[in-house]
Amino acid sequence: MSSDLFGTEFLIEDVLGSRELDLRHLTIGQALAAMRLPETMFQPYLFDSDTAVPIPLTTKLAAIPADADKVVIRAIRNTLYPTILPVRDETAPVGAVEQGVGFRQIHADADGRAQERVTVLGSTEARELVADQVSEFARQYGLAERGCVFGVSGGGDSNALAYGLASAIDPTRIDAFTLVFDAVFAEEAAVRADVLCHELGIPHRILRSAQIAELLSITTSLDELYADFKTAFGHEALHFFGTFLVLRCARKLAARSGFTDLAFGYNREDLLAEALFMLINGRRPLAIPTRAIGGHRIVMPVWKVPKLLLDACHPQFSLENYRERDPFTTRQRSLAFFLSHALDAAYPAFGLSLLTGIATAFEGDWGRLEYDSELDVFVTEYATADTIAEVTTTLRRHFG
């Protein structure tokens, strides 16, 4: 039997499984979050007659004594909340469920009070918006003239970017590829990418283990390289191994094709997570939305686009992709993504404002990437000697 208040089962699903959203056990802090109010700006007080006693935000609503006079949740700053968040109309009728992905916007009316608009987009509208963003990027950064190698994973970000690239530049100027390696890249995702690229007229190749090893001149095997990487850096770091493989393959393919740009579906929250991680650790972020690496540059045509909008372009593909995801990553990576998504959740488009502010503030003063010719990798200026030595030892065993 469902344990929520409405007779419908609600499940939170992620890579570790699913769990029921039990609305009977909401805390005061969670109730504030449901109203999009930050709990650290409020202190609850339990009133018995005229006596007020502070209680924690973690107090469950069901635990409030039935004979209590009231609970007052007091704002601890003189913030004018109606100018920031719209006041809810509790008398408004409940409408039918709309199909699509919803996006909130908040603007001020003539009296300075916040008003909310919600836009629900289907896949067609989402693709058109993404195509417009990619076309604008292509014009600004000369993508059509340069051509690009395009890493398409079969997930929501790169699938949406594929549609945008096919709309913005000649598909024959795109060299798309997908990697398949059971430990990191699923066969099913490559099939989705192949179907999509074929529909869009984009040349596409699937590289499996033996082909990856040949392309990268691995002298042992991809399985042995991955086993060594796992031993050195832990199973949770497999995403970093995947990034290493994709980027090195893209560079090799670019050298063959003569294209200088390497296009990836890095979205708004991806780049916010990276920038926040660098800033929190006292480091300069790496360049966005283009990043030079030797004779090539990484281009990020959907850098301003939120992940939800990219997923909305091919929603069924996106859901399938997430259900194939592995439950391995580092805690720091999880935290960085959690915080990057929390920005727009706290206030619509705040993440975009922060990302564009970072891009402006650090223009011309980004963190440096230095080429290590022995390892054929690009290393940040913050890499420690011990880390470089460990990577060197690992790679030397597998590359001639």
Side-chain angles (χ1 to χ4, degrees), residues 186-209:
E187 176 74 33
E188 293 82 358
V191 171
R192 288 194 296 271
D194 197 54
V195 168
L196 183 61
C197 287
H198 178 75
E199 290 177 351
L200 296 172
I202 297 175
H204 178 247
R205 71 184 86 192
I206 298 175
L207 300 175
R208 294 179 172 82
S209 295

Side-chain angles (χ1 to χ4, degrees), residues 17-239:
S18 63
R19 61 191 182 279
E20 191 171 10
L21 178 60
D22 191 340
L23 302 181
R24 296 175 305 172
H25 299 291
L26 285 178
T27 67
I28 295 174
Q30 290 166 341
L32 288 169
M35 299 175 67
R36 305 190 186 281
L37 295 170
E39 65 176 45
T40 56
M41 293 185 76
F42 293 85
Q43 171 58 55
Y45 292 89
L46 180 65
F47 274 76
D48 184 6
S49 298
D50 292 329
T51 303
V53 178
I55 57 176
L57 288 154
T58 53
T59 303
K60 292 184 178 181
L61 299 180
I64 303 297
D67 59 352
D69 286 351
K70 59 186 174 183
V71 172
V72 173
I73 306 171
R74 174 63 205 182
I76 60 176
R77 292 189 181 275
N78 60 335
T79 301
L80 306 179
Y81 291 100
T83 68
I84 299 171
L85 293 174
V87 176
R88 291 189 176 187
D89 182 2
E90 303 296 343
T91 65
V94 177
V97 174
E98 296 183 76
Q99 295 189 5
V101 178
F103 299 91
R104 298 186 304 127
Q105 293 177 307
I106 295 178
H107 67 97
D109 64 12
D111 296 324
R113 291 181 173 266
Q115 301 294 318
E116 183 175 73
R117 294 175 181 168
V118 178
T119 302
V120 179
L121 300 176
S123 57
T124 300
E125 297 94 337
R127 291 174 196 170
E128 290 172 354
L129 286 174
V130 172
D132 289 344
Q133 287 284 320
V134 176
S135 294
E136 179 184 339
F137 182 95
R139 287 191 297 270
Q140 184 175 356
Y141 294 99
L143 197 57
E145 297 78 19
R146 296 166 66 102
C148 66
V149 170
F150 169 38
V152 54
S153 69
D157 304 338
S158 59
N159 285 349
L161 177 54
Y163 185 88
L165 287 174
S167 302
I169 66 179
D170 184 346
T172 63
R173 301 284 293 164
I174 304 171
D175 185 2
F177 73 97
T178 305
L179 303 185
V180 172
F181 178 51
D182 286 344
V184 186
F185 305 110
E187 176 74 33
E188 293 82 358
V191 171
R192 288 194 296 271
D194 197 54
V195 168
L196 183 61
C197 287
H198 178 75
E199 290 177 351
L200 296 172
I202 297 175
H204 178 247
R205 71 184 86 192
I206 298 175
L207 300 175
R208 294 179 172 82
S209 295
Q211 295 162 303
I212 296 170
E214 180 182 1
L215 177 65
L216 301 184
S217 300
I218 297 174
T219 56
T220 54
S221 70
L222 191 55
D223 286 311
E224 290 174 89
L225 172 60
Y226 178 61
D228 260 9
F229 184 91
K230 230 177 7 175
T231 299
F233 303 106
H235 197 66
E236 290 77 12
L238 68 84
H239 290 286

